Amino acid sequence: MNRIQVQEIECLLALADELHFGRTAARLGCSQSRVSQLIAALERRVGVRLVDRTSRRVELTRFGAQFVAEVRPAYGTLATVVAHAQERARRGALCQLRIGFHGSVYEEVTEAFRQLRARHDVSMALSEIPLGSPFSAVLDGRLDAAVVELPVREAALTVGFRFPPQERLLAVASSHPLAASGAGRVPVEELAGLDLVHPAGDAPDYWMVARVPRATPAGAPIRSTAGISTVQEGLALVASGEHAMLVCRPLAERATRGDVRYLAVDGLDEPSQLGLIWRTDRAAPQLTVLARLLHEEVTRETCAAV
């Protein structure tokens, strides 16, 4: 199979239609001798005569007619695939997007994914990325885009959509004194007495500091001795009672468990915000469409909640 050239198949199919070497040559834009060469080469590769030619007529052999009947649908399928690929390449289109995410994919996001599939025939390949490596898989091309926590200051990355900012809460063990007080709120300066978990990975320093502050507003240092790769890993450490974790409110509402309490932090002004990011030099049209669908879905959810 690797020795047969597509041009030989095309020539045989054209000859089967025309049954005339001159008309076949004109149809293919080549000489009659070239048509003869291509047919002879295909016959050698297949190992049998496919065409009978006399001074007065051209016809397929019995084996040639059978071969044409079998190969024509396969060639048509191949030609269609190539034509579709050429059209997608012309438009810079993708039929599947590889999307990374942190923690979990919320309903607004999955609904946007469904709309992209339904309206534009683009499917999603989803994968969870380590908490502390939000940009690497997008930058090196393993992912087309990712839904990650902001900020993003990388010159090579574009933030295509910003989700609404969300309040950050403090996750502590249900047995922790801060939870036992029953207030449901803690002053931001209390963070200085905790050991907060932090994302472990290759994220830039500015991104890490946005996740776990180095100090309280009054300047008291905040300890952070344990790194985590997933949200569930962090919650398990919190439940053990030795660590605490800053999380966004949507995560707290979805990750309810009896051994963890979520407390509001008075004075913690920096909210949590997710964004859809992609490489600036690989901004496929489908990514822009996905960003628009996310905007529509988030707007719809916001209006429904009012």
Side-chain angles (χ1 to χ4, degrees), residues 40-230:
L42 181 59
E43 290 176 331
R44 288 195 302 272
R45 299 182 202 282
V46 176
V48 70
R49 190 168 185 80
L50 301 172
V51 178
D52 282 334
R53 178 184 185 183
T54 68
S55 59
R56 292 193 300 178
R57 62 181 301 178
V58 175
E59 63 180 5
L60 298 176
T61 65
R62 185 176 179 183
F63 194 98
Q66 179 180 327
F67 182 72
V68 166
E70 293 173 340
V71 82
R72 191 185 293 277
Y75 174 80
T77 299
L78 177 61
T80 299
V81 170
V82 172
H84 287 170
Q86 289 173 330
E87 174 60 19
R88 288 195 303 271
R90 184 184 66 79
R91 295 185 289 108
L94 297 169
C95 61
Q96 183 186 70
L97 291 178
R98 301 164 299 169
I99 307 292
F101 63 93
H102 276 159
S104 61
V105 181
Y106 299 144
E107 289 84 348
E108 301 94 325
V109 180
T110 55
E111 180 57 30
F113 290 167
R114 283 192 290 269
Q115 291 298 325
L116 189 63
R117 178 63 180 268
R119 298 188 204 175
H120 304 278
D121 197 26
V122 177
S123 62
M124 298 289 128
L126 303 178
S127 58
E128 185 173 2
I129 56 179
L131 285 180
S133 299
F135 310 141
S136 298
V138 176
L139 288 171
D140 65 21
R142 286 179 286 127
L143 294 175
D144 299 307
V147 177
V148 299
E149 288 198 79
L150 303 179
V152 176
R153 299 173 188 164
E154 312 304 296
L157 296 175
T158 291
V159 181
F161 176 71
R162 297 174 185 269
F163 292 79
Q166 300 289 340
E167 179 187 16
R168 287 208 290 174
L169 304 177
L170 178 68
V172 297
S174 296
S175 58
H176 194 280
L178 289 176
S181 69
R185 312 186 69 86
V186 296
V188 68
E189 293 301 321
E190 292 283 354
L191 298 183
L194 303 173
D195 188 351
L196 300 182
V197 297
H198 62 269
D202 58 7
D205 190 62
Y206 72 83
W207 189 89
M208 290 291 194
V209 171
R211 306 280 69 74
V212 181
R214 300 279 169 78
T216 67
I222 297 175
R223 282 197 308 147
S224 181
T225 63
I228 58 172
S229 296
T230 67

